[in-house]
Amino acid sequence: MKGGLGRPKAVTLIVRMWRGSDGAVKAAVKAAEGGPTRYFPNLVALLHYLEQAQEKIEEIPLPSQGLR
């Protein structure tokens, strides 16, 4: 739509998981469009990151469509 109105752009994440030498499952997340890779020592930390990202998305107000 014109003027930047419309749906927010979806973010595609690349998530890599592996088992570390300590036996814990570790993870790395990177946006598919590029940017820094974030590393997480366990799945609880990854979950916390994703919950925070979801809260930020929910805080963004949807554009007003006005009266029709």
Side-chain angles (χ1 to χ4, degrees), residues 51-64:
E51 287 173 339
Q52 287 181 335
Q54 179 182 359
E55 289 173 2
K56 287 180 184 177
I57 291 170
E58 291 173 350
E59 290 174 0
I60 299 172
L62 295 175
S64 174

Side-chain angles (χ1 to χ4, degrees), residues 23-41:
V25 176
K26 301 180 186 297
V29 175
K30 181 177 182 178
E33 295 83 24
T37 301
R38 298 197 51 159
Y39 294 91
F40 302 94

Side-chain angles (χ1 to χ4, degrees), residues 6-60:
R7 291 183 163 174
K9 182 180 175 190
V11 176
T12 302
L13 299 176
I14 299 170
V15 179
R16 293 185 173 102
M17 297 188 311
W18 66 94
R19 187 167 306 276
S21 59
D22 61 354
V25 176
K26 301 180 186 297
V29 175
K30 181 177 182 178
E33 295 83 24
T37 301
R38 298 197 51 159
Y39 294 91
F40 302 94
N42 54 49
L43 295 180
V44 173
L46 173 62
L47 176 62
H48 183 69
Y49 167 77
L50 294 173
E51 287 173 339
Q52 287 181 335
Q54 179 182 359
E55 289 173 2
K56 287 180 184 177
I57 291 170
E58 291 173 350
E59 290 174 0
I60 299 172

